[in-house]
PDB file of all heavy atoms in Angstrom:
ATOM      1  N   GLU O 270      51.067  -9.870  -7.592  1.00 96.00           N
ATOM      2  CA  GLU O 270      50.128 -10.878  -7.102  1.00 96.00           C
ATOM      3  C   GLU O 270      48.715 -10.536  -7.601  1.00 96.00           C
ATOM      4  O   GLU O 270      47.960 -11.390  -8.047  1.00 96.00           O
ATOM      5  CB  GLU O 270      50.160 -10.857  -5.578  1.00 96.00           C
ATOM      6  CG  GLU O 270      49.814 -12.185  -4.926  1.00 96.00           C
ATOM      7  CD  GLU O 270      49.838 -12.053  -3.407  1.00 96.00           C
ATOM      8  OE1 GLU O 270      50.495 -11.127  -2.889  1.00 96.00           O
ATOM      9  OE2 GLU O 270      49.179 -12.871  -2.750  1.00 96.00           O
ATOM     10  N   TYR O 271      48.415  -9.259  -7.513  1.00 97.00           N
ATOM     11  CA  TYR O 271      47.117  -8.765  -7.979  1.00 97.00           C
ATOM     12  C   TYR O 271      46.869  -9.116  -9.439  1.00 97.00           C
ATOM     13  O   TYR O 271      45.806  -9.643  -9.801  1.00 97.00           O
ATOM     14  CB  TYR O 271      47.042  -7.257  -7.771  1.00 97.00           C
ATOM     15  CG  TYR O 271      45.902  -6.567  -8.501  1.00 97.00           C
ATOM     16  CD1 TYR O 271      44.586  -6.732  -8.094  1.00 97.00           C
ATOM     17  CD2 TYR O 271      46.158  -5.751  -9.606  1.00 97.00           C
ATOM     18  CE1 TYR O 271      43.548  -6.099  -8.768  1.00 97.00           C
ATOM     19  CE2 TYR O 271      45.121  -5.116 -10.288  1.00 97.00           C
ATOM     20  CZ  TYR O 271      43.819  -5.293  -9.863  1.00 97.00           C
ATOM     21  OH  TYR O 271      42.791  -4.684 -10.531  1.00 97.00           O
ATOM     22  N   GLU O 272      47.856  -8.842 -10.275  1.00 97.00           N
ATOM     23  CA  GLU O 272      47.694  -9.099 -11.720  1.00 97.00           C
ATOM     24  C   GLU O 272      47.365 -10.569 -11.965  1.00 97.00           C
ATOM     25  O   GLU O 272      46.474 -10.905 -12.763  1.00 97.00           O
ATOM     26  CB  GLU O 272      48.993  -8.743 -12.487  1.00 97.00           C
ATOM     27  CG  GLU O 272      49.470  -7.304 -12.348  1.00 97.00           C
ATOM     28  CD  GLU O 272      48.598  -6.308 -13.113  1.00 97.00           C
ATOM     29  OE1 GLU O 272      47.610  -6.753 -13.717  1.00 97.00           O
ATOM     30  OE2 GLU O 272      48.894  -5.098 -13.094  1.00 97.00           O
ATOM     31  N   GLU O 273      48.090 -11.397 -11.241  1.00 97.00           N
ATOM     32  CA  GLU O 273      47.906 -12.832 -11.410  1.00 97.00           C
ATOM     33  C   GLU O 273      46.492 -13.255 -10.992  1.00 97.00           C
ATOM     34  O   GLU O 273      45.784 -13.948 -11.718  1.00 97.00           O
ATOM     35  CB  GLU O 273      48.942 -13.528 -10.527  1.00 97.00           C
ATOM     36  CG  GLU O 273      49.324 -14.914 -10.984  1.00 97.00           C
ATOM     37  CD  GLU O 273      50.478 -15.426 -10.128  1.00 97.00           C
ATOM     38  OE1 GLU O 273      51.578 -14.826 -10.186  1.00 97.00           O
ATOM     39  OE2 GLU O 273      50.260 -16.384  -9.370  1.00 97.00           O
ATOM     40  N   GLU O 274      46.100 -12.779  -9.820  1.00 97.00           N
ATOM     41  CA  GLU O 274      44.771 -13.123  -9.297  1.00 97.00           C
ATOM     42  C   GLU O 274      43.656 -12.572 -10.201  1.00 97.00           C
ATOM     43  O   GLU O 274      42.649 -13.225 -10.439  1.00 97.00           O
ATOM     44  CB  GLU O 274      44.593 -12.558  -7.891  1.00 97.00           C
ATOM     45  CG  GLU O 274      45.548 -13.138  -6.863  1.00 97.00           C
ATOM     46  CD  GLU O 274      44.856 -14.133  -5.944  1.00 97.00           C
ATOM     47  OE1 GLU O 274      43.776 -13.793  -5.427  1.00 97.00           O
ATOM     48  OE2 GLU O 274      45.355 -15.274  -5.785  1.00 97.00           O
ATOM     49  N   LEU O 275      43.904 -11.369 -10.658  1.00 97.00           N
ATOM     50  CA  LEU O 275      42.907 -10.721 -11.512  1.00 97.00           C
ATOM     51  C   LEU O 275      42.659 -11.584 -12.752  1.00 97.00           C
ATOM     52  O   LEU O 275      41.507 -11.875 -13.103  1.00 97.00           O
ATOM     53  CB  LEU O 275      43.377  -9.321 -11.918  1.00 97.00           C
ATOM     54  CG  LEU O 275      42.378  -8.475 -12.708  1.00 97.00           C
ATOM     55  CD1 LEU O 275      41.164  -8.121 -11.848  1.00 97.00           C
ATOM     56  CD2 LEU O 275      43.035  -7.185 -13.214  1.00 97.00           C
ATOM     57  N   ASP O 276      43.746 -11.975 -13.402  1.00 97.00           N
ATOM     58  CA  ASP O 276      43.620 -12.828 -14.584  1.00 97.00           C
ATOM     59  C   ASP O 276      42.835 -14.096 -14.245  1.00 97.00           C
ATOM     60  O   ASP O 276      41.914 -14.495 -14.955  1.00 97.00           O
ATOM     61  CB  ASP O 276      45.005 -13.239 -15.099  1.00 97.00           C
ATOM     62  CG  ASP O 276      45.659 -12.100 -15.874  1.00 97.00           C
ATOM     63  OD1 ASP O 276      44.945 -11.110 -16.167  1.00 97.00           O
ATOM     64  OD2 ASP O 276      46.871 -12.191 -16.155  1.00 97.00           O
ATOM     65  N   HIS O 277      43.239 -14.687 -13.135  1.00 97.00           N
ATOM     66  CA  HIS O 277      42.617 -15.951 -12.757  1.00 97.00           C
ATOM     67  C   HIS O 277      41.119 -15.811 -12.530  1.00 97.00           C
ATOM     68  O   HIS O 277      40.299 -16.550 -13.080  1.00 97.00           O
ATOM     69  CB  HIS O 277      43.285 -16.502 -11.494  1.00 97.00           C
ATOM     70  CG  HIS O 277      42.568 -17.686 -10.929  1.00 97.00           C
ATOM     71  ND1 HIS O 277      42.634 -18.941 -11.495  1.00 97.00           N
ATOM     72  CD2 HIS O 277      41.721 -17.800  -9.876  1.00 97.00           C
ATOM     73  CE1 HIS O 277      41.878 -19.777 -10.800  1.00 97.00           C
ATOM     74  NE2 HIS O 277      41.310 -19.110  -9.815  1.00 97.00           N
ATOM     75  N   TRP O 278      40.717 -14.827 -11.712  1.00 97.00           N
ATOM     76  CA  TRP O 278      39.309 -14.717 -11.325  1.00 97.00           C
ATOM     77  C   TRP O 278      38.442 -14.162 -12.439  1.00 97.00           C
ATOM     78  O   TRP O 278      37.259 -14.496 -12.556  1.00 97.00           O
ATOM     79  CB  TRP O 278      39.167 -13.910 -10.029  1.00 97.00           C
ATOM     80  CG  TRP O 278      39.698 -14.667  -8.842  1.00 97.00           C
ATOM     81  CD1 TRP O 278      40.823 -14.410  -8.136  1.00 97.00           C
ATOM     82  CD2 TRP O 278      39.125 -15.856  -8.272  1.00 97.00           C
ATOM     83  NE1 TRP O 278      41.006 -15.337  -7.147  1.00 97.00           N
ATOM     84  CE2 TRP O 278      39.976 -16.246  -7.202  1.00 97.00           C
ATOM     85  CE3 TRP O 278      38.001 -16.641  -8.546  1.00 97.00           C
ATOM     86  CZ2 TRP O 278      39.718 -17.365  -6.409  1.00 97.00           C
ATOM     87  CZ3 TRP O 278      37.744 -17.747  -7.758  1.00 97.00           C
ATOM     88  CH2 TRP O 278      38.601 -18.110  -6.706  1.00 97.00           C
ATOM     89  N   GLN O 279      39.042 -13.301 -13.270  1.00 97.00           N
ATOM     90  CA  GLN O 279      38.251 -12.814 -14.414  1.00 97.00           C
ATOM     91  C   GLN O 279      37.976 -13.953 -15.387  1.00 97.00           C
ATOM     92  O   GLN O 279      36.882 -14.069 -15.930  1.00 97.00           O
ATOM     93  CB  GLN O 279      38.965 -11.644 -15.098  1.00 97.00           C
ATOM     94  CG  GLN O 279      38.838 -10.351 -14.288  1.00 97.00           C
ATOM     95  CD  GLN O 279      39.377  -9.145 -15.012  1.00 97.00           C
ATOM     96  OE1 GLN O 279      40.258  -9.272 -15.858  1.00 97.00           O
ATOM     97  NE2 GLN O 279      38.872  -7.962 -14.656  1.00 97.00           N
ATOM     98  N   ALA O 280      38.993 -14.794 -15.577  1.00 97.00           N
ATOM     99  CA  ALA O 280      38.788 -15.948 -16.462  1.00 97.00           C
ATOM    100  C   ALA O 280      37.726 -16.887 -15.883  1.00 97.00           C
ATOM    101  O   ALA O 280      36.850 -17.396 -16.588  1.00 97.00           O
ATOM    102  CB  ALA O 280      40.105 -16.693 -16.655  1.00 97.00           C
ATOM    103  N   GLU O 281      37.808 -17.070 -14.585  1.00 97.00           N
ATOM    104  CA  GLU O 281      36.838 -17.919 -13.887  1.00 97.00           C
ATOM    105  C   GLU O 281      35.418 -17.361 -14.051  1.00 97.00           C
ATOM    106  O   GLU O 281      34.477 -18.092 -14.369  1.00 97.00           O
ATOM    107  CB  GLU O 281      37.232 -17.974 -12.403  1.00 97.00           C
ATOM    108  CG  GLU O 281      36.276 -18.717 -11.495  1.00 97.00           C
ATOM    109  CD  GLU O 281      36.554 -20.219 -11.420  1.00 97.00           C
ATOM    110  OE1 GLU O 281      37.600 -20.647 -11.961  1.00 97.00           O
ATOM    111  OE2 GLU O 281      35.729 -20.946 -10.851  1.00 97.00           O
ATOM    112  N   LEU O 282      35.273 -16.061 -13.838  1.00 97.00           N
ATOM    113  CA  LEU O 282      33.963 -15.424 -13.955  1.00 97.00           C
ATOM    114  C   LEU O 282      33.418 -15.545 -15.377  1.00 97.00           C
ATOM    115  O   LEU O 282      32.236 -15.851 -15.592  1.00 97.00           O
ATOM    116  CB  LEU O 282      34.051 -13.948 -13.544  1.00 97.00           C
ATOM    117  CG  LEU O 282      32.748 -13.144 -13.593  1.00 97.00           C
ATOM    118  CD1 LEU O 282      31.681 -13.767 -12.707  1.00 97.00           C
ATOM    119  CD2 LEU O 282      32.976 -11.689 -13.176  1.00 97.00           C
ATOM    120  N   ALA O 283      34.316 -15.322 -16.358  1.00 97.00           N
ATOM    121  CA  ALA O 283      33.908 -15.438 -17.753  1.00 97.00           C
ATOM    122  C   ALA O 283      33.421 -16.861 -18.041  1.00 97.00           C
ATOM    123  O   ALA O 283      32.384 -17.062 -18.686  1.00 97.00           O
ATOM    124  CB  ALA O 283      35.073 -15.071 -18.663  1.00 97.00           C
ATOM    125  N   ALA O 284      34.147 -17.834 -17.513  1.00 96.00           N
ATOM    126  CA  ALA O 284      33.789 -19.232 -17.759  1.00 96.00           C
ATOM    127  C   ALA O 284      32.450 -19.573 -17.103  1.00 96.00           C
ATOM    128  O   ALA O 284      31.584 -20.226 -17.699  1.00 96.00           O
ATOM    129  CB  ALA O 284      34.891 -20.147 -17.241  1.00 96.00           C
ATOM    130  N   LEU O 285      32.281 -19.107 -15.858  1.00 97.00           N
ATOM    131  CA  LEU O 285      31.047 -19.426 -15.127  1.00 97.00           C
ATOM    132  C   LEU O 285      29.824 -18.840 -15.813  1.00 97.00           C
ATOM    133  O   LEU O 285      28.784 -19.493 -15.943  1.00 97.00           O
ATOM    134  CB  LEU O 285      31.137 -18.899 -13.690  1.00 97.00           C
ATOM    135  CG  LEU O 285      32.033 -19.691 -12.726  1.00 97.00           C
ATOM    136  CD1 LEU O 285      32.325 -18.879 -11.470  1.00 97.00           C
ATOM    137  CD2 LEU O 285      31.381 -21.016 -12.355  1.00 97.00           C
ATOM    138  N   THR O 286      29.932 -17.596 -16.257  1.00 96.00           N
ATOM    139  CA  THR O 286      28.769 -16.952 -16.863  1.00 96.00           C
ATOM    140  C   THR O 286      28.543 -17.421 -18.297  1.00 96.00           C
ATOM    141  O   THR O 286      27.531 -17.093 -18.908  1.00 96.00           O
ATOM    142  CB  THR O 286      28.909 -15.418 -16.841  1.00 96.00           C
ATOM    143  OG1 THR O 286      30.172 -15.074 -17.429  1.00 96.00           O
ATOM    144  CG2 THR O 286      28.855 -14.890 -15.431  1.00 96.00           C
ATOM    145  N   ASP O 287      29.487 -18.179 -18.784  1.00 95.00           N
ATOM    146  CA  ASP O 287      29.333 -18.716 -20.137  1.00 95.00           C
ATOM    147  C   ASP O 287      28.755 -20.136 -20.108  1.00 95.00           C
ATOM    148  O   ASP O 287      28.371 -20.685 -21.140  1.00 95.00           O
ATOM    149  CB  ASP O 287      30.711 -18.723 -20.830  1.00 95.00           C
ATOM    150  CG  ASP O 287      30.558 -18.912 -22.335  1.00 95.00           C
ATOM    151  OD1 ASP O 287      29.619 -18.321 -22.903  1.00 95.00           O
ATOM    152  OD2 ASP O 287      31.360 -19.663 -22.926  1.00 95.00           O
ATOM    153  N   LYS O 288      28.693 -20.702 -18.917  1.00 95.00           N
ATOM    154  CA  LYS O 288      28.187 -22.070 -18.793  1.00 95.00           C
ATOM    155  C   LYS O 288      26.722 -22.147 -19.192  1.00 95.00           C
ATOM    156  O   LYS O 288      25.965 -21.199 -19.028  1.00 95.00           O
ATOM    157  CB  LYS O 288      28.317 -22.544 -17.335  1.00 95.00           C
ATOM    158  CG  LYS O 288      29.704 -23.045 -17.000  1.00 95.00           C
ATOM    159  CD  LYS O 288      29.677 -23.903 -15.748  1.00 95.00           C
ATOM    160  CE  LYS O 288      31.052 -24.508 -15.533  1.00 95.00           C
ATOM    161  NZ  LYS O 288      31.166 -25.192 -14.252  1.00 95.00           N
ATOM    162  N   LYS O 289      26.350 -23.328 -19.651  1.00 94.00           N
ATOM    163  CA  LYS O 289      24.959 -23.518 -20.055  1.00 94.00           C
ATOM    164  C   LYS O 289      24.014 -23.309 -18.873  1.00 94.00           C
ATOM    165  O   LYS O 289      22.940 -22.725 -18.997  1.00 94.00           O
ATOM    166  CB  LYS O 289      24.792 -24.934 -20.605  1.00 94.00           C
ATOM    167  CG  LYS O 289      23.673 -25.018 -21.618  1.00 94.00           C
ATOM    168  CD  LYS O 289      23.567 -26.398 -22.215  1.00 94.00           C
ATOM    169  CE  LYS O 289      22.159 -26.614 -22.748  1.00 94.00           C
ATOM    170  NZ  LYS O 289      21.887 -28.014 -23.054  1.00 94.00           N
ATOM    171  N   GLY O 290      24.445 -23.788 -17.712  1.00 94.00           N
ATOM    172  CA  GLY O 290      23.627 -23.681 -16.504  1.00 94.00           C
ATOM    173  C   GLY O 290      23.308 -22.251 -16.118  1.00 94.00           C
ATOM    174  O   GLY O 290      22.296 -21.975 -15.463  1.00 94.00           O
ATOM    175  N   PHE O 291      24.148 -21.311 -16.528  1.00 95.00           N
ATOM    176  CA  PHE O 291      23.917 -19.911 -16.149  1.00 95.00           C
ATOM    177  C   PHE O 291      22.672 -19.340 -16.820  1.00 95.00           C
ATOM    178  O   PHE O 291      22.094 -18.376 -16.336  1.00 95.00           O
ATOM    179  CB  PHE O 291      25.141 -19.054 -16.464  1.00 95.00           C
ATOM    180  CG  PHE O 291      25.022 -17.638 -15.939  1.00 95.00           C
ATOM    181  CD1 PHE O 291      25.106 -17.376 -14.579  1.00 95.00           C
ATOM    182  CD2 PHE O 291      24.781 -16.580 -16.807  1.00 95.00           C
ATOM    183  CE1 PHE O 291      24.955 -16.076 -14.090  1.00 95.00           C
ATOM    184  CE2 PHE O 291      24.631 -15.279 -16.327  1.00 95.00           C
ATOM    185  CZ  PHE O 291      24.726 -15.034 -14.971  1.00 95.00           C
ATOM    186  N   ARG O 292      22.248 -19.979 -17.906  1.00 93.00           N
ATOM    187  CA  ARG O 292      21.042 -19.476 -18.585  1.00 93.00           C
ATOM    188  C   ARG O 292      19.793 -19.605 -17.713  1.00 93.00           C
ATOM    189  O   ARG O 292      18.777 -18.970 -17.953  1.00 93.00           O
ATOM    190  CB  ARG O 292      20.822 -20.244 -19.892  1.00 93.00           C
ATOM    191  CG  ARG O 292      21.826 -19.820 -20.948  1.00 93.00           C
ATOM    192  CD  ARG O 292      21.554 -20.482 -22.276  1.00 93.00           C
ATOM    193  NE  ARG O 292      22.810 -20.906 -22.887  1.00 93.00           N
ATOM    194  CZ  ARG O 292      22.914 -21.856 -23.811  1.00 93.00           C
ATOM    195  NH1 ARG O 292      21.833 -22.503 -24.225  1.00 93.00           N
ATOM    196  NH2 ARG O 292      24.074 -22.170 -24.311  1.00 93.00           N
ATOM    197  N   ASP O 293      19.879 -20.461 -16.682  1.00 93.00           N
ATOM    198  CA  ASP O 293      18.747 -20.600 -15.768  1.00 93.00           C
ATOM    199  C   ASP O 293      18.898 -19.745 -14.509  1.00 93.00           C
ATOM    200  O   ASP O 293      18.042 -19.765 -13.631  1.00 93.00           O
ATOM    201  CB  ASP O 293      18.603 -22.068 -15.338  1.00 93.00           C
ATOM    202  CG  ASP O 293      18.147 -22.928 -16.498  1.00 93.00           C
ATOM    203  OD1 ASP O 293      17.400 -22.390 -17.354  1.00 93.00           O
ATOM    204  OD2 ASP O 293      18.553 -24.099 -16.571  1.00 93.00           O
ATOM    205  N   LEU O 294      20.017 -19.053 -14.445  1.00 94.00           N
ATOM    206  CA  LEU O 294      20.273 -18.216 -13.270  1.00 94.00           C
ATOM    207  C   LEU O 294      20.286 -16.764 -13.692  1.00 94.00           C
ATOM    208  O   LEU O 294      20.278 -16.441 -14.868  1.00 94.00           O
ATOM    209  CB  LEU O 294      21.655 -18.520 -12.694  1.00 94.00           C
ATOM    210  CG  LEU O 294      21.914 -19.873 -12.056  1.00 94.00           C
ATOM    211  CD1 LEU O 294      23.341 -19.910 -11.564  1.00 94.00           C
ATOM    212  CD2 LEU O 294      20.947 -20.090 -10.910  1.00 94.00           C
ATOM    213  N   SER O 295      20.350 -15.875 -12.688  1.00 95.00           N
ATOM    214  CA  SER O 295      20.853 -14.553 -13.017  1.00 95.00           C
ATOM    215  C   SER O 295      21.572 -14.012 -11.801  1.00 95.00           C
ATOM    216  O   SER O 295      21.509 -14.603 -10.715  1.00 95.00           O
ATOM    217  CB  SER O 295      19.760 -13.612 -13.521  1.00 95.00           C
ATOM    218  OG  SER O 295      18.578 -13.802 -12.839  1.00 95.00           O
TER     219      SER O 295
END
Side-chain angles (χ1 to χ4, degrees):
Chain O
E270 208 181 338
Y271 166 71
E272 302 288 2
E273 205 173 296
E274 296 255 311
L275 185 66
D276 282 349
H277 171 75
W278 290 109
Q279 284 187 333
E281 175 87 8
L282 181 58
L285 285 165
T286 53
D287 195 40
K288 278 199 174 172
K289 208 177 157 193
F291 187 72
R292 286 185 222 158
D293 291 328
L294 292 180
S295 38

